[in-house]
Amino acid sequence: MGRMQAGRRTFCEAAIYVLAGLVATALGLPAGFYLFGSPRNEAQSDWVDAGDISNLPAGAPRQITFVRNRVDGWSVRSTKDSAWVVKDAPGDVTVFAPLCTHLGCAYHWDTKAGVFACPCHGSAFSRSGEVLRGPATRPLDQYVTKIEGARLWLGKTKASAES
Amino acid sequence: MAQEPVEQSGNSPVIPGGVAKGARNARQFPFWVWLESRTGVGGSIRHFLMEDIPASAGWPQVFGSVALFLVLTQALTGVLLAINYTPSHDEAYRSVAYVMREVTAGKMIRGLHHWGASFMVVCVALHMAQVFLYGAYKKPREVTWIVGVLLLLLTLAFGLTGYLLPWDNRAYWATMVTVRIASQAPWAGPYLVKLAGASEQLGALTLSRFYALHVLILPAATTVLIGFHLYLVRRHGVTPGAEPLGPNTKFYPRQAFRDVLAIFITFSILFATAAFLNVPIERMADPTDTSYVPRPDWYFLFLFQMLKLFRGSLEPIGSIGLPTLAILALFAVPFLDRTRVRRVRQRITAIGILLLATALWGALTAGAIASSPHQEAPAALEGISTQATQFTPEELAGLGWFRREKCADCHNLVSGGPKEGPNLAGADLQKPREWRIVHFNQSNRGAAHGKNGASHLSLAELNALSVLLAKLTAEHGRELDQAPQPLIDGAEVYTAHACGSCHRVNGSGGEIGPSLNGVATRRSKDWILRHFAAPQALSPGSVMPPYHFSKTEEDAIMTYLLSLPQ
């Protein structure tokens, strides 16, 4: 009789752990996938339409603005973005991301000095983006570009594309 | 390493067997010794599990534990849903659709939460019915019962506030009815409406207040009351049966096993329901859609039906008076029933009241279901996402012609690889409608393709393309671009035959004929086909001309019409 009761007790204890484990797994797995799985349709194109540059004069760098569509969860945000374009000839352009590679300040083109100058800590870059004066240690970030007809398309920056 | 001595707290319960087992474990794992000495958690758990329960306790007593488990499940799935939700009237719907459509296991988590709410109601009702039948509310357990009634009301309040959060038409209009009912409450009505942020219509204020109630106030109140309820259950113990069956036993392991098995069975059914049944989501809330017939969740259908029995000036009796009386009667149960009879078979009055209440609830609910419009989705709806059916026919048709006319050779709709023309969403397209029509028809587009640009598009088709571009935003365009082709084909037929001149779909079109939203819930496929062939035969006085479609056109437009949301 006692052995039967002990057996029943052991069965109940084992069943409690097994059933509770099953329920916890069935709840935990979807929760884990929900938290750490990648949403569908998350992938988005790297290319951004930066606009018609046929009227952009060759020579001095120009800052252009354009709209970038970013997928952000359930919404798509259209945000304004900018870039510096150095046009040497139609079809021959170099485009730089608009932030200094030192600490991310917005730099500008100093027409008199003929350099890209950062107002925050005095870094200077050449027309081709090379560091002329620190504290910045690496050249300006340059976009991968493509020209279709008259339109300029910007891909990733070359540094991020290589990494 | 020096082991700290285990100090026996003066308050620690002494449990035969349990302590011995715990002490053995404690000797094996120094960490547990330390934790136990500092917190006493292990002892408390053992104390909880080794509660004395009457030998008569058994399967009827499992519902309380199942209800507690469901509360925890609702809390977990609710937190998961909340991290992908925005309680604003322009984003709530999209965030819920995002969870359903894009988040891994999102449909399952929302299913568990949605159906879990119904399971909660059933389980709490069964728990209360068991307590009622067994007379377990009698002295000294009156307050335990009252707290239980409060928890029942909180469960219903969770259902009511959660219903609005997806912000679809169903949520909007059902909540509108609820708010109107609340406004009839004597004295308190106007204050309740103001508190709900619904003085004029439901909007951002209502949604954020319902959300705050659903995720902050109600959970806090529920936690406190469940804690108090459990404390009272422990204080007074589980109600013994009418006839003692022997000495008390321990909760663990036999009753614990019954509880866990009941939880396992309940969860298995809930899991299967969430996996195989679609959670309803209709089109985004449209306050201008006066054709919508709102329905509450199934457990409120009896109230919905009762309003039909009390019309005119008597309506507040059905909407406020009787429900308030019923709630007061529930609170008063322990004080109305002063008898000492506990044996279920002798509780004839209690059995009678329970059967009567169940029959009344069942009859009213059945009446409400019988008088509801046919809601079953037709086969054409299968596989078509609700999101895709929200667009106007012109937008969908415009997308169809955008693809067919190879506009995508030069343009991306929202984003994509480099092309000759601008991305249509977000680009500077502030061109007048006339310019767009000319562009679609002639020079620029033709030049881009190296041909003379003569177009074969009809005026309706050109108009649809123009509407597509005028309404296109990055957000909108991304969703539109995922619309399935059968839906687009149907919208093209609909637009090409100018159905929108007389009928309204998703807020676009004329109002000479009825709105076609939700037509599948009102008419059968066969009826619609016969109506196309001879409108006056089925709708005498109709000005609609007969339409004779090709088989392909007929399939396309039927798929489209039967997919239209409410």
Side-chain angles (χ1 to χ4, degrees):
Chain A
M1 188 68 184
R3 186 178 293 176
M4 190 187 277
Q5 274 197 342
R8 185 178 286 178
R9 183 184 175 88
T10 308
F11 168 78
C12 284
E13 285 182 340
I16 285 170
Y17 288 119
V18 169
L19 295 178
L22 285 173
V23 170
T25 307
L27 253 178
L29 277 180
F33 284 124
Y34 182 90
L35 286 172
F36 300 110
S38 298
R40 287 175 218 124
N41 302 320
E42 197 182 45
Q44 46 191 310
S45 172
D46 294 329
W47 290 101
V48 178
D49 174 11
D52 186 339
I53 56 161
S54 56
N55 294 327
L56 203 69
R62 290 293 184 99
Q63 189 170 27
I64 59 166
T65 58
F66 51 91
V67 172
R68 186 188 286 275
N69 296 327
R70 289 183 202 277
V71 177
D72 183 11
W74 49 89
S75 51
V76 183
R77 307 271 177 219
S78 290
T79 53
K80 273 204 168 178
D81 210 341
S82 71
W84 282 92
V85 181
V86 180
K87 186 175 178 183
D88 290 318
D92 180 10
V93 296
T94 309
V95 186
F96 298 113
L99 303 180
C100 175
T101 52
H102 174 223
L103 289 175
C105 288
Y107 59 82
H108 63 275
W109 175 251
D110 185 336
T111 315
K112 278 187 187 167
V115 295
F116 287 113
C118 179
C120 290
H121 304 96
S123 295
F125 304 86
S126 71
R127 194 168 170 276
S128 56
E130 299 300 325
V131 178
L132 297 176
R133 188 171 65 237
T137 56
R138 61 183 182 88
L140 293 175
D141 288 326
Q142 194 176 327
Y143 282 112
V144 175
T145 60
K146 195 168 184 183
I147 294 178
E148 282 289 336
R151 306 196 77 78
L152 171 66
W153 290 79
L154 305 181
K156 291 180 176 177
T157 57
K158 285 185 175 171
S160 63
E162 282 161 12
S163 65
Chain B
M1 192 174 96
Q3 202 173 47
E4 291 192 36
V6 182
E7 184 185 340
Q8 187 70 39
S9 160
N11 296 327
S12 293
V14 178
I15 303 153
V19 165
K21 193 171 182 179
R24 190 179 66 232
N25 288 340
R27 272 200 298 278
Q28 286 170 354
F29 303 106
F31 172 72
W32 294 124
V33 175
W34 177 84
L35 191 68
E36 181 62 17
S37 71
R38 298 301 191 275
T39 64
V41 165
S44 301
I45 292 173
R46 282 191 298 281
H47 179 63
F48 182 80
L49 291 175
M50 293 301 164
E51 177 196 5
D52 268 347
I53 59 169
S56 59
W59 291 104
Q61 278 76 22
V62 299
F63 296 114
S65 298
V66 178
L68 182 60
F69 165 77
L70 287 172
V71 169
L72 296 175
T73 307
Q74 289 300 92
L76 172 70
T77 52
V79 168
L80 289 173
L81 290 175
I83 63 172
N84 279 320
Y85 179 78
T86 304
S88 80
H89 70 298
D90 55 347
E91 290 207 27
Y93 180 84
R94 276 209 301 273
S95 58
V96 173
Y98 170 77
V99 166
M100 298 281 287
R101 202 178 52 194
E102 296 193 27
V103 177
T104 312
K107 213 172 152 188
M108 174 55 108
I109 296 295
R110 181 158 185 252
L112 286 172
H113 196 72
H114 174 85
W115 299 114
S118 291
F119 276 59
M120 270 289 299
V121 173
V122 172
C123 195
V124 170
L126 287 173
H127 182 45
M128 292 194 78
Q130 181 266 323
V131 171
F132 182 74
L133 271 183
Y134 281 66
Y137 49 78
K138 295 188 179 191
K139 183 183 172 184
R141 297 182 178 82
E142 298 95 326
V143 179
T144 318
W145 169 266
I146 289 170
V147 174
V149 175
L150 287 173
L151 283 168
L152 169 72
L153 295 179
L154 283 179
T155 304
L156 296 177
F158 267 115
L160 203 71
T161 50
Y163 205 76
L164 180 67
L165 302 188
W167 199 248
D168 60 354
N169 242 0
R170 175 173 167 270
Y172 181 92
W173 289 104
T175 307
M176 178 66 90
V177 174
T178 309
V179 169
R180 290 285 150 83
I181 288 174
S183 72
Q184 295 176 343
W187 308 294
Y191 298 104
L192 287 174
V193 172
K194 193 159 187 180
L195 207 58
S199 297
E200 290 178 10
Q201 64 170 23
L202 308 190
L205 283 179
T206 326
L207 186 57
S208 55
R209 286 173 191 196
F210 272 53
Y211 181 69
L213 268 172
H214 193 76
V215 306
L216 295 173
I217 298 164
L218 294 178
T222 305
T223 307
V224 170
L225 286 179
I226 286 179
F228 190 41
H229 195 66
L230 290 177
Y231 161 77
L232 290 172
V233 170
R234 289 306 301 263
R235 180 177 170 81
H236 300 302
V238 174
T239 311
E243 295 165 16
L245 296 178
N248 281 352
T249 60
K250 300 292 179 193
F251 174 76
Y252 184 87
R254 287 192 66 182
Q255 187 61 29
F257 165 71
R258 291 190 190 103
D259 285 8
V260 171
L261 184 58
I263 286 169
F264 177 77
I265 293 168
T266 307
F267 183 74
S268 300
I269 301 169
L270 173 61
F271 193 87
T273 311
F276 296 113
L277 285 189
N278 280 328
V279 179
I281 181 163
E282 297 183 356
R283 72 189 174 102
M284 192 168 158
D286 179 3
T288 65
D289 185 359
T290 49
S291 65
Y292 191 83
V293 183
R295 288 284 183 284
D297 228 336
W298 65 269
Y299 42 88
F300 285 124
L301 275 178
F302 75 101
L303 270 178
F304 172 83
Q305 184 70 2
M306 203 153 69
L307 294 187
K308 294 181 185 171
L309 305 177
F310 296 90
R311 294 183 182 277
S313 59
L314 297 178
E315 196 175 281
I317 296 177
S319 60
I320 302 283
L322 289 180
T324 307
L325 272 180
I327 292 167
L328 288 177
L330 271 179
F331 278 120
V333 161
F335 310 104
L336 295 175
D337 178 12
R338 311 295 290 183
T339 62
R340 288 168 179 264
V341 182
R342 283 192 194 274
R343 192 170 306 179
V344 176
R345 285 180 190 171
Q346 291 178 346
R347 291 178 51 76
I348 306 298
T349 314
I351 293 172
I353 290 172
L354 196 62
L355 287 177
L356 188 70
T358 309
L360 202 62
W361 176 84
L364 286 169
T365 304
I369 291 170
S371 63
S372 299
H374 179 61
Q375 295 281 345
E376 196 179 329
L381 262 175
E382 284 172 16
I384 292 181
S385 77
T386 317
Q387 189 80 6
T389 61
Q390 318 271 323
F391 298 103
T392 63
E394 290 79 14
E395 286 171 278
L396 285 169
L399 177 64
W401 287 309
F402 172 86
R403 288 175 181 169
R404 185 168 306 151
E405 289 298 307
K406 302 195 187 312
C407 306
D409 286 355
C410 293
H411 300 282
N412 296 310
L413 206 57
V414 179
S415 63
K419 288 179 180 173
E420 251 180 274
N423 279 357
L424 296 181
D428 177 20
L429 292 172
Q430 304 302 316
K431 309 282 189 191
R433 186 168 174 273
E434 294 72 21
W435 182 93
R436 289 198 295 267
I437 298 285
V438 170
H439 175 69
F440 300 148
N441 253 332
Q442 290 180 355
S443 55
N444 293 345
R445 186 170 68 89
H449 286 286
K451 54 189 181 186
N452 69 11
S455 173
H456 60 271
L457 295 180
S458 71
L459 195 59
E461 292 163 345
L462 289 167
N463 187 51
L465 272 173
S466 186
V467 170
L468 168 71
L469 290 192
K471 298 185 89 168
L472 194 64
T473 61
E475 189 134 14
H476 201 58
R478 183 166 168 267
E479 286 168 3
L480 183 65
D481 210 14
Q482 293 165 14
Q485 196 58 41
L487 207 63
I488 294 170
D489 293 342
E492 283 184 34
V493 177
Y494 180 94
T495 307
H497 288 84
C499 305
S501 303
C502 296
H503 294 283
R504 206 167 177 79
V505 165
N506 294 341
S508 167
E511 292 184 324
I512 297 170
S515 162
L516 295 179
N517 275 110
V519 67
T521 64
R522 303 191 297 271
R523 303 292 185 193
S524 68
K525 183 178 178 181
D526 181 55
W527 189 96
I528 298 171
L529 285 173
R530 283 189 288 123
H531 193 266
F532 272 132
Q536 285 75 24
L538 296 173
S539 304
S542 168
V543 294
M544 180 168 153
Y547 285 88
H548 300 287
F549 297 116
S550 69
K551 182 74 179 105
T552 312
E553 284 181 326
E554 184 183 291
D555 288 346
I557 198 165
M558 288 311 296
T559 302
Y560 178 67
L561 290 177
L562 295 176
S563 305
L564 290 174
Q566 283 275 14

